[in-house]
Amino acid sequence: MAGPSSLLLTDDERSRNFLRGALSRQGLSVAIADSGQQGIEQFSPELFQLVVVDLLLPDMDGLEVLRKIKQRSPGTAVVMIAEKGELHEVLQAMRLGACDYLIKPIQQAALIDKVICRITGEENLAQQNLEYRKTLEQRNSELRDHVEVLRRDQEAGRLLQQHLLPRSPFFYPGGVEAAYRLIPSLYLSGDFVDYGLFGERFVAFYLVDVSGHGVSSALVTALIKNSVMHRLRERPLFSQLESLGADLLEVLELINRELLSTGMGKHASMFIGVVDTAAGQLHYAVAGQIPMPALVSAAGADWLPGKGRPLGIFEQGDWQVMCAELPSSWRLVACSDGVLELLEGDLLQKEEQLLALIDTTGGELGPLCEGLKVDTFGALPDDITILTLAHG
């Protein structure tokens, strides 16, 4: 039976003809059953959208037909036909799951049309809701699968980024100790540090803070690491005292070109330096670094001087190579700008608080992280990185 269908159970010829016309006007094809048993045998939930049952059938009570239909298909709409004196049975039918009723004599076509239209409309809405729920469940399942793929990808990216980072702490000949703490605000970090020994006397290092957060910024840190390592394979850097300044500028220019060429709209701040363990000197350059690195000695903590434009914005950065004499005992502290988000006040006030904390803790990594409450701050607004190098 094609299209929406209804099953009409009544032996009342007049009611049958009246209802058949009303059902047909609502676009329903009509199947007729003369008895309750015939209707029960003929009924199929897949075929009939609506069932109209007379309370008085020649072979059984219409309530019994209603019970059997609802047992087989609780969602099927059933309308009862009753005489005026059968209100008690009508109430019983409603309790058993009938959705509406009609009272004989059935003479008002508009009333019948209204009842049938409402029922079929509800059925259509219920079917639409069912299809919508199925679609929504499918979309949710697809979304969960997608999120799980992203989670696995991010986990792989996090492991890769951790693999690219150096060991912490690490001790170099000449008594230099390098250590860091890197805490991403998201799963991956736009901050990165690296350090290494060149020859027997030079310890080179850098801290870079790529704009933004998450995967794209983390990929740029991997690009920077790869670019630096590729250049080191091409020719030796940081191996001769007279070329240290040129080597520092070459790395900054290299990364600046790489960021400009990617077209990703990413820029970065960077602090890069070389400790000459033999001469007791620090050669360094800054590119948009905020806050400036601090040098801690017996006299206390103070910011290093220097300036330079961020990487990835300008063709020329006007970077300066600076040289600082190092005492016998010293500690160098460099922080990404996310550290300032842990402090209160304007920029100058935050920098004053940070320098005072570096001075109080002697720039030691553990006490400094504890003083900044990096592990108890809650949701971090930015990536947090602290790099320290120390001697004595």
Side-chain angles (χ1 to χ4, degrees):
M1 191 177 294
S5 301
S6 62
L7 178 61
L8 177 58
L9 285 75
T10 180
D11 64 343
D12 185 326
E13 189 70 25
R14 182 178 178 185
S15 296
R16 175 186 296 179
N17 294 335
F18 210 90
L19 287 167
R20 176 186 286 175
L23 293 167
S24 299
R25 284 194 299 274
Q26 296 300 326
L28 294 163
S29 58
V30 183
I32 302 296
D34 296 319
S35 67
Q37 185 61 38
Q38 182 183 353
I40 292 170
E41 294 174 353
Q42 194 171 343
F43 173 72
S44 170
E46 294 78 21
L47 291 179
F48 298 109
Q49 181 182 9
L50 173 66
V51 178
V52 183
V53 183
D54 201 323
L55 273 171
L56 296 176
L57 294 170
D59 59 340
M60 67 175 65
D61 190 344
L63 293 177
E64 182 62 23
V65 178
L66 171 62
R67 288 191 188 93
K68 292 185 178 297
I69 288 176
K70 284 296 181 179
Q71 287 174 358
R72 292 180 60 186
S73 178
T76 298
V78 179
V79 175
M80 302 304 298
I81 306 171
E83 301 283 352
K84 287 183 178 180
E86 297 174 329
L87 291 181
H88 175 74
E89 287 79 2
V90 168
L91 291 176
Q92 182 65 15
M94 300 300 286
R95 294 190 189 100
L96 291 173
C99 60
D100 213 329
Y101 63 93
L102 296 168
I103 299 297
K104 295 179 181 179
I106 303 172
Q107 297 175 334
Q108 298 181 24
L111 177 61
I112 300 172
D113 289 345
K114 184 178 180 180
V115 170
I116 297 173
C117 185
R118 180 183 65 78
I119 293 171
T120 55
E122 290 176 352
E123 288 293 304
N124 290 334
L125 181 60
Q127 181 62 31
Q128 291 173 8
N129 288 337
L130 178 61
E131 293 174 358
Y132 174 75
R133 285 196 298 271
K134 289 181 179 179
T135 302
L136 186 60
E137 289 172 0
Q138 181 181 354
R139 294 289 187 271
N140 285 337
S141 176
E142 293 172 354
L143 180 60
R144 286 192 295 269
D145 292 343
H146 183 61
V147 169
E148 177 60 21
V149 170
L150 288 178
R151 189 198 64 78
R152 291 197 298 266
D153 287 348
Q154 287 187 331
E155 175 66 17
R158 186 178 68 86
L159 293 175
L160 174 60
Q161 190 174 53
Q162 289 180 341
H163 180 73
L164 294 175
L165 287 164
R167 284 182 288 172
S168 176
F170 197 85
F171 299 89
Y172 291 103
V176 174
E177 174 194 0
Y180 67 91
R181 185 74 185 278
L182 191 156
I183 307 174
S185 59
L186 299 175
Y187 217 72
L188 297 168
S189 176
D191 291 357
F192 195 77
V193 299
D194 205 1
Y195 36 73
L197 178 66
F198 295 82
E200 297 180 355
R201 60 186 280 188
F202 300 112
V203 178
F205 60 90
Y206 67 81
L207 183 155
V208 64
D209 181 357
V210 178
S211 62
H213 310 282
V215 176
S216 61
S217 297
L219 289 174
V220 174
T221 66
L223 171 66
I224 292 172
K225 165 84 173 185
N226 179 71
S227 298
V228 173
M229 297 304 296
H230 184 72
R231 181 54 54 92
L232 289 172
R233 287 192 295 270
E234 289 180 340
R235 74 176 192 86
L237 297 174
F238 313 124
S239 59
Q240 301 294 326
L241 178 60
E242 59 272 14
S243 64
L244 290 181
D247 293 343
L248 292 170
L249 292 177
E250 183 176 344
V251 172
L252 292 177
E253 291 166 355
L254 169 66
I255 297 173
N256 190 56
R257 289 195 304 271
E258 291 280 7
L259 292 179
L260 288 172
S261 65
T262 61
M264 296 174 62
K266 292 290 184 180
H267 62 274
S269 61
M270 189 172 190
F271 171 53
I272 183 169
V274 180
V275 174
D276 183 348
T277 59
Q281 292 179 329
L282 169 65
H283 300 260
Y284 68 92
V286 294
Q289 178 68 26
I290 299 176
M292 286 294 292
L295 184 63
V296 184
S297 65
D302 202 0
W303 301 122
L304 289 174
K307 64 179 182 178
R309 293 174 174 175
L311 305 169
I313 300 177
F314 308 98
E315 292 290 341
Q316 299 295 327
D318 297 329
W319 304 294
Q320 300 175 354
V321 176
M322 309 291 289
C323 181
E325 298 294 330
L326 298 173
S328 58
S329 179
W330 55 269
R331 188 176 297 271
L332 179 66
V333 180
C335 304
S336 63
D337 62 1
V339 170
L340 297 177
E341 299 297 328
L342 306 178
L343 304 171
E344 297 181 353
D346 58 27
L347 178 58
L348 291 178
Q349 291 170 330
K350 291 180 178 181
E351 288 180 331
E352 289 175 0
Q353 294 174 53
L354 179 59
L355 186 62
L357 187 58
I358 292 173
D359 187 36
T360 302
T361 60
E364 293 187 28
L365 186 59
L368 183 56
C369 289
E370 185 177 350
L372 290 167
K373 298 181 174 60
V374 296
D375 294 317
T376 58
F377 188 82
L380 296 173
D382 197 359
D383 302 326
I384 304 293
T385 301
I386 303 174
L387 169 65
T388 66
L389 286 94
H391 180 270

